[in-house]
Amino acid sequence: MRIALPLLEMWNLQAALAIFGTLCLTSINGYKNGKVEKSCESMMPEHHSQPNTTASPYTLTANASKFSPGDNIRVTLSGSERFEGFLIQARDATNPDGLAIGSFTLVDPAISQRLTCNSIAGSAVSHTSNAKKTEIQVIWKAPSNAPPTVQFLATVLAHYKIFWLKLPGPVISQGDVTPAPPRSTTVMSTNSASTSILPQPFTSEGCGKSKSCLNDPVSCNPSVDTNCFFLSYSTLGQTVSFELSGPAQGYISFALSKDEWMGDDDAYLCINDEGRVSVEAAHTTGRTYPEVSSKSVLTDVGWRVSNGVIQCKFSRSIYTPQDPVRVSLNNSYYLFVAHGTAEYGMIHKHTRQPLISSHHQIITGPPEILTGSRSPQLMKYHGALMLIAWMLAGSTGKLMAAYFKPDWPEQTLFGQKIWFQVHRMLMSLTVLLTAVGFAFPFIYRGKWSTRAGAHPYLGCTVMILAFCQPIMAAFRPAPDSSWRWIFNWLHWGVGNAAEIIAVVSMFFGIRQQSLLLPYPWTTGVLSAFVVWTIVLKLVLKLHGVIRKGSGKEDELPVLSNISEDANWDTKFRMAVLAVFVIGNSAFCISLLTSIGDI
């Protein structure tokens, strides 16, 4: 019973999480199928955006101006532009913010559906999918308790974040009642009410003189370089003007942060939705979706989309008393620049580490050319140490033990054979570099990373195997011991397993967000390193087979008989070793250079 109860509790927890997840998915996907009963009162889509306040291309009409209880009135929503979604209701003309009145029947059930609002079946009509349309017709039936005047209202979505809220339709009245002037509906202001299309791209001219700039790559110019990520800002009086540019499929954004971690940040989004860019002020809490501000804090908004590059500019006050969530620009912050994909005006999580300024910066301070990186310094050290450990020290140390035992038979180094001392020194260095590099990610994150995939598990395996080697070596039996063959096999097997897993871990490591090296050429360099290592080991293996005059070689390296031309064999192996080290160094240096550039 003591075992069964925890299992039952665990099963109940998993079931509850599964049900909760299903409900969440249902609510997320429900917008496309028009199941928007939660918007019955406000008629406001929950799309993390504000309604459009420009002139609407859509109209709402009715085929009658008078009605009696029980009458059927044909209502038509049409527009000069296609729309994806809609919500139609009838309300008291003197109180358009009140409850829905009457019920609807459908003309075309394929594109429209009845909703239950205020416990009245069919008191609203919505879309059945996000298929584009230019007209929708429904029939409204007047109830027996209808008010003297009724007005039809519609919320129309052109495309997810582009929508008009409570578009006013015609007012119809009972009998000889004179329609009262309809009260205006409440429409929330947009985050950036007036926008313009930028006539030309931004430029890096004036950086460090009239404006502060953060560029990636360093010193790139967004006016001529389509791969340039660019953020600039300058102060004029009590306002600060920002310019943001970068190649992105869906959005580009920047944030002002008190530290080098995402969360509780002042963010600004430039989202491309089918060639039209919305510029929004937002606030991030942890790693959740940014909460877009409902207040208008941005002025002088402009945008431009060309050759896959999104550009936007805006100004905001140093202090924003109308929106206390916005931070004061008189303080110092880290600058984050991120980009990613978007769908229907909704941004997705960026797949690349944000560009983060190297130090705090007072936004209203003197103009400065800033530097930044997409990888934390500790993670760069981690990657560099692991590459040096396994591409240079470890691979060379294993090569010495596998193929250089017959060389320098009469010479010693600190009382031991040369090959053994070099092997022990290089493998000890490998374990030391691996241990130090292994610690850096934990120091950086302060905990286990749940978003790093297989890489941390592979790294832990390598670390364990690497520590097993010196422990086994410390207890190795004497050369003439009957147990020596067991040690030889274990030492050989664990060493090869550690090297193979380390290489696999490196392939995963160079694709991590915190150390995302350029793709695909860095993957190609690492692949070439693997092929290069295998080829040179085969050369040494083949040379040994030929020299022994046999086509079969031992499973474990053993001492070879010293022949009369052993000196030539040593020189050949030394030449291959030199080529091996030079080639591995070239591969390693190219990857280290790539780490230094991010």
Side-chain angles (χ1 to χ4, degrees), residues 290-332:
E291 182 180 349
V292 177
S293 173
S294 61
K295 296 178 172 59
S296 178
V297 297
L298 308 182
T299 60
D300 190 27
V301 178
W303 58 268
R304 187 175 188 271
V305 178
S306 178
N307 297 322
V309 176
I310 302 173
Q311 295 190 329
C312 64
K313 74 175 184 87
F314 63 87
S315 299
R316 59 148 284 194
S317 299
I318 296 175
Y319 303 100
T320 55
Q322 73 275 29
D323 188 354
V325 175
R326 304 268 77 78
V327 299
S328 167
L329 300 182
N330 267 338
N331 297 326
S332 60

Side-chain angles (χ1 to χ4, degrees), residues 380 516-518 521-522 588-598:
K380 288 186 176 184
L516 188 61
L517 301 188
W521 81 267
T522 52
C588 186
I589 290 172
S590 64
L591 293 177
L592 292 176
T593 302
S594 179
I595 290 176
D597 291 338
I598 61 175

Side-chain angles (χ1 to χ4, degrees), residues 236-287:
L236 180 62
Q238 293 300 309
T239 63
V240 178
S241 297
F242 294 90
E243 296 175 334
L244 181 62
S245 173
Q249 295 181 354
Y251 73 94
I252 183 167
S253 65
F254 78 91
L256 307 176
S257 179
K258 299 176 183 177
D259 52 35
E260 295 181 274
W261 290 96
M262 293 181 61
D264 193 25
D265 302 329
D266 195 20
Y268 301 89
L269 313 173
C270 302
I271 308 172
N272 181 15
D273 188 9
E274 295 189 346
R276 176 173 178 166
V277 176
S278 60
V279 183
E280 301 172 339
H283 183 78
T284 63
T285 303
R287 295 177 180 267

Side-chain angles (χ1 to χ4, degrees), residues 432-513:
L432 176 62
L433 294 176
T434 301
V436 176
F438 180 81
F440 283 154
F442 292 96
I443 296 174
Y444 166 65
R445 292 199 61 86
K447 60 180 180 179
W448 181 266
S449 176
T450 59
R451 299 171 179 264
H455 179 70
Y457 298 97
L458 294 172
C460 288
T461 303
V462 171
M463 189 72 260
I464 293 172
L465 294 176
F467 267 117
C468 285
Q469 288 293 75
I471 294 174
M472 284 193 297
F475 295 97
R476 68 182 181 277
D480 57 350
S481 172
S482 60
W483 297 95
R484 181 69 178 215
W485 68 273
I486 298 177
F487 165 78
N488 288 341
W489 273 105
L490 285 175
H491 196 61
W492 177 83
V494 172
N496 280 283
E499 184 180 33
I500 292 171
I501 297 174
V503 171
V504 174
S505 180
M506 285 191 285
F507 275 100
F508 282 98
I510 63 176
R511 301 304 302 154
Q512 293 296 311
Q513 270 205 41

Side-chain angles (χ1 to χ4, degrees), residues 100-298:
I101 296 171
S103 62
F104 291 89
T105 56
L106 305 178
V107 174
D108 188 351
I111 60 175
S112 60
Q113 63 184 330
R114 288 157 36 102
L115 300 180
T116 299
C117 293
N118 313 319
S119 302
I120 302 175
S123 56
V125 183
S126 69
H127 52 283
T128 57
S129 72
N130 63 346
K132 294 183 179 296
K133 39 202 161 276
T134 57
E135 183 179 284
I136 179 73
Q137 292 189 357
V138 292
I139 305 297
W140 179 74
K141 184 175 183 179
S144 57
N145 59 345
T149 57
V150 172
Q151 183 177 29
F152 296 102
L153 302 172
T155 291
V156 187
L157 287 85
H159 186 57
Y160 203 81
K161 281 200 172 185
I162 303 175
F163 63 92
W164 284 261
L165 178 66
K166 290 185 180 179
L167 291 180
V171 176
I172 59 176
S173 58
Q174 289 197 59
D176 296 328
V177 175
T178 302
R183 292 174 56 187
S184 61
T185 57
T186 303
V187 179
M188 300 173 69
S189 63
T190 60
N191 197 17
S192 51
S194 59
T195 63
S196 62
I197 298 178
L198 300 173
Q200 58 188 11
F202 302 135
T203 177
S204 60
E205 294 181 9
C207 288
K209 298 178 181 178
S210 59
K211 58 186 178 182
S212 295
C213 300
L214 176 62
N215 307 58
D216 181 34
V218 177
S219 302
C220 67
N221 191 338
S223 64
V224 295
D225 186 358
T226 57
N227 292 316
C228 180
F229 290 91
F230 175 80
L231 170 64
S232 76
Y233 52 89
S234 57
T235 305
L236 180 62
Q238 293 300 309
T239 63
V240 178
S241 297
F242 294 90
E243 296 175 334
L244 181 62
S245 173
Q249 295 181 354
Y251 73 94
I252 183 167
S253 65
F254 78 91
L256 307 176
S257 179
K258 299 176 183 177
D259 52 35
E260 295 181 274
W261 290 96
M262 293 181 61
D264 193 25
D265 302 329
D266 195 20
Y268 301 89
L269 313 173
C270 302
I271 308 172
N272 181 15
D273 188 9
E274 295 189 346
R276 176 173 178 166
V277 176
S278 60
V279 183
E280 301 172 339
H283 183 78
T284 63
T285 303
R287 295 177 180 267
T288 59
Y289 191 91
E291 182 180 349
V292 177
S293 173
S294 61
K295 296 178 172 59
S296 178
V297 297
L298 308 182

Side-chain angles (χ1 to χ4, degrees), residues 315-384:
S315 299
R316 59 148 284 194
S317 299
I318 296 175
Y319 303 100
T320 55
Q322 73 275 29
D323 188 354
V325 175
R326 304 268 77 78
V327 299
S328 167
L329 300 182
N330 267 338
N331 297 326
S332 60
Y333 305 96
Y334 284 100
L335 298 171
F336 286 57
V337 178
H339 70 284
T341 59
E343 184 180 16
Y344 303 112
M346 289 283 289
I347 68 173
H348 296 295
K349 183 180 181 295
H350 50 82
T351 57
R352 189 180 180 190
Q353 187 85 354
L355 175 66
I356 305 175
S357 62
S358 57
H359 61 276
H360 280 93
Q361 175 69 11
I362 299 178
I363 305 304
T364 56
E368 182 179 347
I369 296 179
L370 306 174
T371 58
S373 174
R374 293 187 182 273
S375 178
Q377 204 66 28
L378 282 176
M379 299 308 295
K380 288 186 176 184
Y381 292 150
H382 165 76

